[in-house]
Amino acid sequence: MNAASPAPRRVRVRAPELVGKGGWLNTGGKDLRLADFRGRVLILDFWTFCCINCLHVLDELRELEEKHRDTVVIVGVHSPKFAHEAEHRAVVDAVERYGVEHPVLDDPELATWKQYAVRAWPTLVVIDPEGYVVAQHAGEGHAHAIERLVEELEAEHAAKGTLRRGDGPYVAPGSEPTVLRFPGKALALPNGNLLVSDTTRHQLVELEEDGETVVRRIGSGARGFVDGGAEEAGFSEPQGLALLDGGAVVVADTVNHALRRVDLATGAVGTLAGTGRQWWRGSPTSGPAREIDLSSPWDVALFGGKVWIAMAGVHQLWAYDPEAGTVEVTAGTTNEGLVDGPGPEAWFAQPSGLAATGDRLWLADSETSALRWVDPDGSVHTAVGTGLFDFGHRDGAAGQALLQHPLGVTALPDGSVAVSDTYNHALRRYDPATGEVTTLATDLREPSDAVLVGDDIVVVESARHRLIRLRLPEEAVRMESVAHRTRRAATDVTPGAVRLDVIFQAPGGQKLDASHGPATRLLVSATPPELLLAGEGAGTDLSRRVELNPAVPEGVLHVSAMAASCDDDPATEFPACHVHQQDWGVPVRLIEGGADRLPLVLAGMDA
């Protein structure tokens, strides 16, 4: 009789305690310690929710998690890269958004990250049933190796009597009954309705023009990769949408690594590209679309007769040719970073939003917090952004402006673009004509996309589970004289001295916040510049005397105002703060007897 094989010898290091200032999620409110996992194989998944590779690992672990549910506990240790990711509410949202079904430790100060000497996202650490670290893996694609290790540990510790089977500590959180749940992208349909990717529910939802009333749902609502009618078809976290032709929509079915086609008349769903498997280095990058693996396609746009794909999972742009039924790489090396130049030499970092105009394909390159574009010849350029680790919220000249992990971009009628600046909770605007970046709206909870509807822009406010309609500032929809658009009537004002008053009243329960500098800001300029004899420039008072040049009979006053307000409850330790900002372009006509006061309402009423 053969003797049993000896247990493998491994280097074992005592696992440090699990500590995170944000506390525990998915545990029913219970705080856990390392000792609570004694007797189980513990896998620590160090992740951050901006990171596409981290999301891939979440998907890789699902099968292992289910197969070894009575012996293995996975704990996500959320370790933020961006400032927004250190917000506890954002982590709570991300755990629901991505269907995380295991305990999560919110570690905003990277305390546990440092204790385990982690240096990259994602990193997986395996701890044996006696509390010793036995393996660490950085990156994705390790699920198979970890499962083998788990099986070895199960056998070894079952023989030693140190394995404990049973239910894990996961407690499912509750979910609010909202019409949408973490919607991703939106599309205006030919019939005037809006189609939305209801990402967390694995469906598409058609809404009436009001953006609220449900017309129909497409997809069963269960995660899957199933073609068929509207009720049985399956998606997995769908994102981008684009009109393929008058009667069909192409869908970036992100976690299925596929492009899907939806027949608008019937709701039937088919597959255009992808196998359902994730692309890995060495796999083909061109060929018949149904035979080529894709990697987390996040958005799609029709440009130059092809469907361009923001292939977030490999930091590239691909294209699907509807006529030939093929796919190919169009730009990017798979290296993650920000490098411009010819398409094959360019570097991207998780491209996540696309918008096409006649001569440019705009893209939101999320991990570099950048706005970039592709010319018809395939060359890549950067408008805003400098690299992987520079981010923030700063307007002004594009060379110094900052975004924070934008996910969407929308072409505006005047040639400028709106950027869904996701982690800044803002809608930003870049004007190629001036090279300036401005802020159109703030206090938007994780906006991920926007679509034009007339003179309004409808924003996908993902973390508030809704669409919200905003009126575009006048200059954002200003058209050249050749365009077919009704011009606003000019405001008659007197030549000479005019009082400009921006009215702002803090919302109920809030007050002006000057804790980080002046609470208000006013910027005034004019087209043509000669219109203003005095009063041009920036200041902190929302009222200003301007002097208009009698020699210039008409023009446009450009006024930008900002006011910051915070909750006015002394009992609130961390009051919520908001920035209110608006840009106006006011056509004026100078006539004797015209108004000597020009009121502009930012918030409140003009008394």
mmCIF file with all atom_site columns, all heavy atoms in Angstrom, residues 434-449:
data_model
loop_
_atom_site.group_PDB
_atom_site.id
_atom_site.type_symbol
_atom_site.label_atom_id
_atom_site.label_alt_id
_atom_site.label_comp_id
_atom_site.label_asym_id
_atom_site.label_entity_id
_atom_site.label_seq_id
_atom_site.pdbx_PDB_ins_code
_atom_site.Cartn_x
_atom_site.Cartn_y
_atom_site.Cartn_z
_atom_site.occupancy
_atom_site.B_iso_or_equiv
_atom_site.pdbx_formal_charge
_atom_site.auth_seq_id
_atom_site.auth_comp_id
_atom_site.auth_asym_id
_atom_site.auth_atom_id
_atom_site.pdbx_PDB_model_num
ATOM 1   N N   . THR A 1 434 ? -11.315 77.652 -28.759 1.00 0.00 ? 434 THR A N   1
ATOM 2   C CA  . THR A 1 434 ? -10.609 78.495 -27.792 1.00 0.00 ? 434 THR A CA  1
ATOM 3   C C   . THR A 1 434 ? -9.580  77.739 -26.968 1.00 0.00 ? 434 THR A C   1
ATOM 4   O O   . THR A 1 434 ? -8.736  78.352 -26.318 1.00 0.00 ? 434 THR A O   1
ATOM 5   C CB  . THR A 1 434 ? -11.610 79.135 -26.814 1.00 0.00 ? 434 THR A CB  1
ATOM 6   O OG1 . THR A 1 434 ? -12.248 78.095 -26.054 1.00 0.00 ? 434 THR A OG1 1
ATOM 7   C CG2 . THR A 1 434 ? -12.674 79.918 -27.566 1.00 0.00 ? 434 THR A CG2 1
ATOM 8   N N   . GLY A 1 435 ? -9.668  76.403 -26.975 1.00 0.00 ? 435 GLY A N   1
ATOM 9   C CA  . GLY A 1 435 ? -8.772  75.612 -26.135 1.00 0.00 ? 435 GLY A CA  1
ATOM 10  C C   . GLY A 1 435 ? -9.095  75.716 -24.663 1.00 0.00 ? 435 GLY A C   1
ATOM 11  O O   . GLY A 1 435 ? -8.256  75.412 -23.818 1.00 0.00 ? 435 GLY A O   1
ATOM 12  N N   . GLU A 1 436 ? -10.341 76.111 -24.322 1.00 0.00 ? 436 GLU A N   1
ATOM 13  C CA  . GLU A 1 436 ? -10.725 76.323 -22.936 1.00 0.00 ? 436 GLU A CA  1
ATOM 14  C C   . GLU A 1 436 ? -11.613 75.195 -22.426 1.00 0.00 ? 436 GLU A C   1
ATOM 15  O O   . GLU A 1 436 ? -12.441 74.645 -23.171 1.00 0.00 ? 436 GLU A O   1
ATOM 16  C CB  . GLU A 1 436 ? -11.476 77.651 -22.780 1.00 0.00 ? 436 GLU A CB  1
ATOM 17  C CG  . GLU A 1 436 ? -10.627 78.881 -23.017 1.00 0.00 ? 436 GLU A CG  1
ATOM 18  C CD  . GLU A 1 436 ? -9.642  79.140 -21.886 1.00 0.00 ? 436 GLU A CD  1
ATOM 19  O OE1 . GLU A 1 436 ? -10.064 79.122 -20.711 1.00 0.00 ? 436 GLU A OE1 1
ATOM 20  O OE2 . GLU A 1 436 ? -8.448  79.364 -22.183 1.00 0.00 ? 436 GLU A OE2 1
ATOM 21  N N   . VAL A 1 437 ? -11.471 74.892 -21.146 1.00 0.00 ? 437 VAL A N   1
ATOM 22  C CA  . VAL A 1 437 ? -12.326 73.932 -20.452 1.00 0.00 ? 437 VAL A CA  1
ATOM 23  C C   . VAL A 1 437 ? -13.155 74.693 -19.421 1.00 0.00 ? 437 VAL A C   1
ATOM 24  O O   . VAL A 1 437 ? -12.621 75.505 -18.662 1.00 0.00 ? 437 VAL A O   1
ATOM 25  C CB  . VAL A 1 437 ? -11.492 72.841 -19.756 1.00 0.00 ? 437 VAL A CB  1
ATOM 26  C CG1 . VAL A 1 437 ? -12.388 71.900 -18.950 1.00 0.00 ? 437 VAL A CG1 1
ATOM 27  C CG2 . VAL A 1 437 ? -10.701 72.045 -20.789 1.00 0.00 ? 437 VAL A CG2 1
ATOM 28  N N   . THR A 1 438 ? -14.456 74.430 -19.412 1.00 0.00 ? 438 THR A N   1
ATOM 29  C CA  . THR A 1 438 ? -15.350 75.051 -18.436 1.00 0.00 ? 438 THR A CA  1
ATOM 30  C C   . THR A 1 438 ? -16.207 73.968 -17.802 1.00 0.00 ? 438 THR A C   1
ATOM 31  O O   . THR A 1 438 ? -16.219 72.817 -18.244 1.00 0.00 ? 438 THR A O   1
ATOM 32  C CB  . THR A 1 438 ? -16.254 76.104 -19.101 1.00 0.00 ? 438 THR A CB  1
ATOM 33  O OG1 . THR A 1 438 ? -16.961 75.490 -20.189 1.00 0.00 ? 438 THR A OG1 1
ATOM 34  C CG2 . THR A 1 438 ? -15.449 77.279 -19.618 1.00 0.00 ? 438 THR A CG2 1
ATOM 35  N N   . THR A 1 439 ? -16.928 74.355 -16.778 1.00 0.00 ? 439 THR A N   1
ATOM 36  C CA  . THR A 1 439 ? -17.845 73.435 -16.099 1.00 0.00 ? 439 THR A CA  1
ATOM 37  C C   . THR A 1 439 ? -19.274 73.852 -16.398 1.00 0.00 ? 439 THR A C   1
ATOM 38  O O   . THR A 1 439 ? -19.658 74.995 -16.144 1.00 0.00 ? 439 THR A O   1
ATOM 39  C CB  . THR A 1 439 ? -17.598 73.440 -14.583 1.00 0.00 ? 439 THR A CB  1
ATOM 40  O OG1 . THR A 1 439 ? -16.255 72.992 -14.333 1.00 0.00 ? 439 THR A OG1 1
ATOM 41  C CG2 . THR A 1 439 ? -18.567 72.510 -13.872 1.00 0.00 ? 439 THR A CG2 1
ATOM 42  N N   . LEU A 1 440 ? -20.056 72.929 -16.939 1.00 0.00 ? 440 LEU A N   1
ATOM 43  C CA  . LEU A 1 440 ? -21.454 73.206 -17.277 1.00 0.00 ? 440 LEU A CA  1
ATOM 44  C C   . LEU A 1 440 ? -22.393 72.936 -16.109 1.00 0.00 ? 440 LEU A C   1
ATOM 45  O O   . LEU A 1 440 ? -23.395 73.621 -15.945 1.00 0.00 ? 440 LEU A O   1
ATOM 46  C CB  . LEU A 1 440 ? -21.888 72.353 -18.478 1.00 0.00 ? 440 LEU A CB  1
ATOM 47  C CG  . LEU A 1 440 ? -21.145 72.592 -19.794 1.00 0.00 ? 440 LEU A CG  1
ATOM 48  C CD1 . LEU A 1 440 ? -21.651 71.621 -20.854 1.00 0.00 ? 440 LEU A CD1 1
ATOM 49  C CD2 . LEU A 1 440 ? -21.335 74.021 -20.262 1.00 0.00 ? 440 LEU A CD2 1
ATOM 50  N N   . ALA A 1 441 ? -22.095 71.915 -15.318 1.00 0.00 ? 441 ALA A N   1
ATOM 51  C CA  . ALA A 1 441 ? -22.989 71.552 -14.217 1.00 0.00 ? 441 ALA A CA  1
ATOM 52  C C   . ALA A 1 441 ? -22.215 70.722 -13.209 1.00 0.00 ? 441 ALA A C   1
ATOM 53  O O   . ALA A 1 441 ? -21.276 70.009 -13.553 1.00 0.00 ? 441 ALA A O   1
ATOM 54  C CB  . ALA A 1 441 ? -24.201 70.757 -14.718 1.00 0.00 ? 441 ALA A CB  1
ATOM 55  N N   . THR A 1 442 ? -22.618 70.834 -11.941 1.00 0.00 ? 442 THR A N   1
ATOM 56  C CA  . THR A 1 442 ? -22.018 70.046 -10.878 1.00 0.00 ? 442 THR A CA  1
ATOM 57  C C   . THR A 1 442 ? -23.132 69.371 -10.082 1.00 0.00 ? 442 THR A C   1
ATOM 58  O O   . THR A 1 442 ? -24.307 69.468 -10.413 1.00 0.00 ? 442 THR A O   1
ATOM 59  C CB  . THR A 1 442 ? -21.167 70.927 -9.944  1.00 0.00 ? 442 THR A CB  1
ATOM 60  O OG1 . THR A 1 442 ? -21.997 71.961 -9.402  1.00 0.00 ? 442 THR A OG1 1
ATOM 61  C CG2 . THR A 1 442 ? -20.005 71.554 -10.692 1.00 0.00 ? 442 THR A CG2 1
ATOM 62  N N   . ASP A 1 443 ? -22.728 68.657 -9.016  1.00 0.00 ? 443 ASP A N   1
ATOM 63  C CA  . ASP A 1 443 ? -23.674 67.921 -8.184  1.00 0.00 ? 443 ASP A CA  1
ATOM 64  C C   . ASP A 1 443 ? -24.443 66.885 -8.986  1.00 0.00 ? 443 ASP A C   1
ATOM 65  O O   . ASP A 1 443 ? -25.624 66.654 -8.777  1.00 0.00 ? 443 ASP A O   1
ATOM 66  C CB  . ASP A 1 443 ? -24.637 68.866 -7.459  1.00 0.00 ? 443 ASP A CB  1
ATOM 67  C CG  . ASP A 1 443 ? -25.400 68.152 -6.334  1.00 0.00 ? 443 ASP A CG  1
ATOM 68  O OD1 . ASP A 1 443 ? -24.843 67.178 -5.787  1.00 0.00 ? 443 ASP A OD1 1
ATOM 69  O OD2 . ASP A 1 443 ? -26.533 68.560 -6.036  1.00 0.00 ? 443 ASP A OD2 1
ATOM 70  N N   . LEU A 1 444 ? -23.754 66.251 -9.931  1.00 0.00 ? 444 LEU A N   1
ATOM 71  C CA  . LEU A 1 444 ? -24.299 65.120 -10.684 1.00 0.00 ? 444 LEU A CA  1
ATOM 72  C C   . LEU A 1 444 ? -23.597 63.871 -10.158 1.00 0.00 ? 444 LEU A C   1
ATOM 73  O O   . LEU A 1 444 ? -22.389 63.761 -10.281 1.00 0.00 ? 444 LEU A O   1
ATOM 74  C CB  . LEU A 1 444 ? -24.030 65.284 -12.178 1.00 0.00 ? 444 LEU A CB  1
ATOM 75  C CG  . LEU A 1 444 ? -24.624 66.530 -12.847 1.00 0.00 ? 444 LEU A CG  1
ATOM 76  C CD1 . LEU A 1 444 ? -24.041 66.694 -14.236 1.00 0.00 ? 444 LEU A CD1 1
ATOM 77  C CD2 . LEU A 1 444 ? -26.140 66.422 -12.907 1.00 0.00 ? 444 LEU A CD2 1
ATOM 78  N N   . ARG A 1 445 ? -24.342 62.936 -9.602  1.00 0.00 ? 445 ARG A N   1
ATOM 79  C CA  . ARG A 1 445 ? -23.707 61.801 -8.936  1.00 0.00 ? 445 ARG A CA  1
ATOM 80  C C   . ARG A 1 445 ? -23.221 60.768 -9.954  1.00 0.00 ? 445 ARG A C   1
ATOM 81  O O   . ARG A 1 445 ? -24.007 60.052 -10.564 1.00 0.00 ? 445 ARG A O   1
ATOM 82  C CB  . ARG A 1 445 ? -24.690 61.156 -7.954  1.00 0.00 ? 445 ARG A CB  1
ATOM 83  C CG  . ARG A 1 445 ? -24.064 60.114 -7.046  1.00 0.00 ? 445 ARG A CG  1
ATOM 84  C CD  . ARG A 1 445 ? -23.140 60.735 -6.024  1.00 0.00 ? 445 ARG A CD  1
ATOM 85  N NE  . ARG A 1 445 ? -22.470 59.710 -5.227  1.00 0.00 ? 445 ARG A NE  1
ATOM 86  C CZ  . ARG A 1 445 ? -21.493 59.963 -4.382  1.00 0.00 ? 445 ARG A CZ  1
ATOM 87  N NH1 . ARG A 1 445 ? -21.085 61.201 -4.184  1.00 0.00 ? 445 ARG A NH1 1
ATOM 88  N NH2 . ARG A 1 445 ? -20.922 58.994 -3.698  1.00 0.00 ? 445 ARG A NH2 1
ATOM 89  N N   . GLU A 1 446 ? -21.923 60.768 -10.201 1.00 0.00 ? 446 GLU A N   1
ATOM 90  C CA  . GLU A 1 446 ? -21.266 59.855 -11.130 1.00 0.00 ? 446 GLU A CA  1
ATOM 91  C C   . GLU A 1 446 ? -21.929 59.861 -12.514 1.00 0.00 ? 446 GLU A C   1
ATOM 92  O O   . GLU A 1 446 ? -22.419 58.835 -12.992 1.00 0.00 ? 446 GLU A O   1
ATOM 93  C CB  . GLU A 1 446 ? -21.202 58.427 -10.569 1.00 0.00 ? 446 GLU A CB  1
ATOM 94  C CG  . GLU A 1 446 ? -20.286 58.310 -9.359  1.00 0.00 ? 446 GLU A CG  1
ATOM 95  C CD  . GLU A 1 446 ? -20.004 56.862 -8.959  1.00 0.00 ? 446 GLU A CD  1
ATOM 96  O OE1 . GLU A 1 446 ? -20.255 55.957 -9.762  1.00 0.00 ? 446 GLU A OE1 1
ATOM 97  O OE2 . GLU A 1 446 ? -19.517 56.656 -7.837  1.00 0.00 ? 446 GLU A OE2 1
ATOM 98  N N   . PRO A 1 447 ? -21.948 61.006 -13.191 1.00 0.00 ? 447 PRO A N   1
ATOM 99  C CA  . PRO A 1 447 ? -22.478 61.017 -14.562 1.00 0.00 ? 447 PRO A CA  1
ATOM 100 C C   . PRO A 1 447 ? -21.602 60.167 -15.469 1.00 0.00 ? 447 PRO A C   1
ATOM 101 O O   . PRO A 1 447 ? -20.377 60.273 -15.436 1.00 0.00 ? 447 PRO A O   1
ATOM 102 C CB  . PRO A 1 447 ? -22.404 62.495 -14.947 1.00 0.00 ? 447 PRO A CB  1
ATOM 103 C CG  . PRO A 1 447 ? -21.288 63.049 -14.108 1.00 0.00 ? 447 PRO A CG  1
ATOM 104 C CD  . PRO A 1 447 ? -21.364 62.299 -12.805 1.00 0.00 ? 447 PRO A CD  1
ATOM 105 N N   . SER A 1 448 ? -22.241 59.313 -16.271 1.00 0.00 ? 448 SER A N   1
ATOM 106 C CA  . SER A 1 448 ? -21.469 58.387 -17.097 1.00 0.00 ? 448 SER A CA  1
ATOM 107 C C   . SER A 1 448 ? -21.692 58.576 -18.591 1.00 0.00 ? 448 SER A C   1
ATOM 108 O O   . SER A 1 448 ? -20.978 57.979 -19.395 1.00 0.00 ? 448 SER A O   1
ATOM 109 C CB  . SER A 1 448 ? -21.805 56.938 -16.709 1.00 0.00 ? 448 SER A CB  1
ATOM 110 O OG  . SER A 1 448 ? -23.191 56.701 -16.790 1.00 0.00 ? 448 SER A OG  1
ATOM 111 N N   . ASP A 1 449 ? -22.670 59.411 -18.958 1.00 0.00 ? 449 ASP A N   1
ATOM 112 C CA  . ASP A 1 449 ? -22.948 59.650 -20.372 1.00 0.00 ? 449 ASP A CA  1
ATOM 113 C C   . ASP A 1 449 ? -23.938 60.797 -20.458 1.00 0.00 ? 449 ASP A C   1
ATOM 114 O O   . ASP A 1 449 ? -24.547 61.191 -19.456 1.00 0.00 ? 449 ASP A O   1
ATOM 115 C CB  . ASP A 1 449 ? -23.523 58.391 -21.041 1.00 0.00 ? 449 ASP A CB  1
ATOM 116 C CG  . ASP A 1 449 ? -23.481 58.461 -22.564 1.00 0.00 ? 449 ASP A CG  1
ATOM 117 O OD1 . ASP A 1 449 ? -22.652 59.219 -23.099 1.00 0.00 ? 449 ASP A OD1 1
ATOM 118 O OD2 . ASP A 1 449 ? -24.273 57.750 -23.217 1.00 0.00 ? 449 ASP A OD2 1
#
